[in-house]
Amino acid sequence: MNVKEILINRLSLSDGEYISGAELARQIGVSRNAVWKAVKSLENDGYIIESVTSKGYRIASQSNKLSAEIITSKLNAKKLGKRIIILDKTDSTNNYAKNIAAKGAVHGTVVVADTQTAGKGRLGRNFVSPFGMGLYMSVIIRPTFSIDVAALITSAAAVASAEAVEKLCGNDVHIKWVNDLYMNGRKICGILTEASMGLEISSPDYVVIGIGINVRKFEFDDELGKRVSSIETETGKIINRNELCALVLDRLEYYMDNLEKRSHIDEYKRRELLTGNIITASIGTEKIMGRAVGIDDNANLIIETENGGRRNLSSGEANLVRIKN
Ligand code: BTN
């Protein structure tokens, strides 16, 4: 690590306390002038560093810069986040991750970008990703479990992301089947999981979990604005994206390690929004209407149709028609 990398590491571990230039110079083993130069260079990179004459330096809480060093310093996960790639801009972090996964990137590699020019949503939709406004991340998983178990990855990622957001802002986060996170009835996060099958068909070669969380308040076009929101809009709180990324990875690692036990499924059921309500669901070209009566242990949506039949849906799109009465 160079001086700049060590410096950002030390400052990010200080939990908002100032560290004097002399102390930093001693810890890093360089002159105070070298510390000062590294601070200037970090500011050039976009970090906001506060300096007070008698106290020293600290990272400003409003510093919104994505940083692999800061994410690492906050991370408890051992496998996820082993390698973190930060990009200013990419078409889609999922595309970037699939590309490097195909070339051998290791399990747990994470790609995070400040903006995506062609962010992808489910069912061929676009995911709006303005610069610095959200956490746009993709995690490469090389599963050791079967395809059946791998099908649970998306629901586990939804629970992991919901818990991370809730922990940082304190507000309730719900899940709308399959994998959208909602706050106060509006979507704040979407998840897109993409898998590549290798020659060995019992388990995917790799899976890319793409998570997009709207953090800051920003203007959506009229139609989208009715349904989509952000953490800041709903809570008034500005969440640090590095901290959020680390927490998502921590929770995701736990649920990935316990996927076969379906450790996330009770939390998924508890947070799910459609359950109990009259909904419509589209599965390919088929449309059905009925009451969502629950989620089964494979994270399928159970629908009781108008003629009294039951369907367990593993994928598709479902929307609320009427709230339960
Ligand atoms: C959806 O809402 O339908 C899913 C949205 C998934 C968005 C995330 S942002 C990071 C990753 N990269 C993408 O292109 N998509 C996912």
Side-chain angles (χ1 to χ4, degrees):
M1 278 202 280
N2 61 31
V3 177
K4 204 162 91 176
E5 285 166 348
I6 305 173
L7 180 63
I8 193 64
N9 213 309
R10 296 294 146 97
L11 292 175
S12 57
L13 286 172
S14 80
D15 279 334
E17 296 297 318
Y18 285 93
I19 312 179
S20 73
E23 176 58 18
L24 286 166
R26 192 192 62 73
Q27 286 184 13
I28 304 173
V30 295
S31 67
R32 288 181 62 176
N33 192 39
V35 170
W36 181 82
K37 276 190 183 153
V39 167
K40 292 291 142 204
S41 173
L42 286 173
E43 286 175 342
N44 265 338
D45 289 348
Y47 288 96
I48 305 171
I49 312 254
E50 292 172 341
S51 70
V52 172
T53 314
S54 55
K55 292 181 175 172
Y57 302 102
R58 71 172 184 185
I59 302 175
S61 57
Q62 73 271 32
S63 192
N64 186 34
K65 177 93 180 131
L66 285 172
S67 157
E69 288 80 16
I70 297 183
I71 296 170
T72 305
S73 73
K74 311 235 173 249
L75 200 62
N76 293 314
K78 298 282 177 287
K79 294 163 276 186
L80 303 191
K82 224 173 170 183
R83 180 174 172 219
I84 300 173
I85 300 167
I86 305 283
L87 306 167
D88 281 349
K89 182 173 166 171
T90 184
D91 59 342
S92 148
T93 54
N94 266 29
N95 287 350
Y96 191 100
K98 283 196 294 181
N99 216 320
I100 59 171
K103 292 180 187 140
V106 295
H107 174 81
T109 302
V110 178
V111 181
V112 194
D114 258 317
T115 184
Q116 301 183 111
T117 53
K120 298 188 294 182
R122 288 179 64 242
L123 309 169
R125 293 184 188 128
N126 177 31
F127 188 81
V128 181
S129 321
F131 192 94
M133 294 294 168
L135 178 64
Y136 316 120
M137 63 187 280
S138 298
V139 186
I140 297 172
I141 303 283
R142 293 201 179 271
T144 48
F145 32 72
S146 68
I147 291 183
D148 290 355
V149 176
L152 291 163
I153 290 178
T154 306
S155 52
V159 175
S161 306
E163 288 180 347
V165 171
E166 202 166 279
K167 180 154 186 208
L168 287 182
C169 69
N171 296 56
D172 290 348
V173 179
H174 293 105
I175 298 170
K176 177 176 162 274
W177 184 87
V178 183
N179 51 9
D180 290 340
L181 299 195
Y182 273 64
M183 208 178 243
N184 304 331
R186 289 162 87 203
K187 176 169 165 174
I188 54 150
C189 164
I191 297 170
L192 174 67
T193 306
E194 299 183 82
S196 164
M197 299 303 297
L199 291 175
E200 179 57 68
I201 53 160
S202 57
S203 165
D205 186 15
Y206 61 82
V207 174
V208 168
I209 308 171
I211 303 172
I213 305 177
N214 299 327
V215 175
R216 301 296 308 267
K217 199 183 250 176
F218 61 94
E219 294 297 320
F220 294 94
D221 65 38
D222 274 1
E223 202 30 53
L224 208 56
K226 287 183 199 140
R227 290 177 289 116
V228 177
S229 191
S230 70
I231 297 173
E232 184 184 9
T233 311
E234 296 307 320
T235 68
K237 291 173 197 149
I238 298 176
I239 300 298
N240 184 288
R241 292 181 301 160
N242 295 310
E243 218 168 315
L244 181 58
C245 180
L247 257 181
V248 169
L249 293 173
D250 284 351
R251 296 311 296 153
L252 192 58
E253 177 159 301
Y254 172 76
Y255 288 125
M256 286 298 117
D257 286 349
N258 292 286
L259 204 58
E260 271 163 88
K261 290 189 219 149
R262 292 164 166 71
S263 301
H264 67 287
I265 211 76
D266 287 344
E267 262 311 289
Y268 189 96
K269 290 177 184 174
R270 190 181 71 77
R271 291 174 188 272
E272 209 288 313
L273 278 178
L274 297 175
T275 306
N277 297 304
I278 304 295
I279 61 154
T280 53
S282 320
I283 316 113
T285 52
E286 189 191 4
K287 259 196 186 303
I288 55 174
M289 195 186 212
R291 185 183 292 275
V293 290
I295 300 287
D296 70 16
D297 286 347
N298 291 320
N300 297 327
L301 182 68
I302 312 166
I303 304 181
E304 219 166 62
T305 53
E306 285 161 320
N307 58 16
R310 277 201 170 208
R311 296 279 294 269
N312 290 37
L313 304 189
S314 59
S315 65
E317 172 89 340
N319 283 303
L320 203 62
V321 175
R322 205 169 63 237
I323 302 213
K324 64 184 157 200
N325 48 24

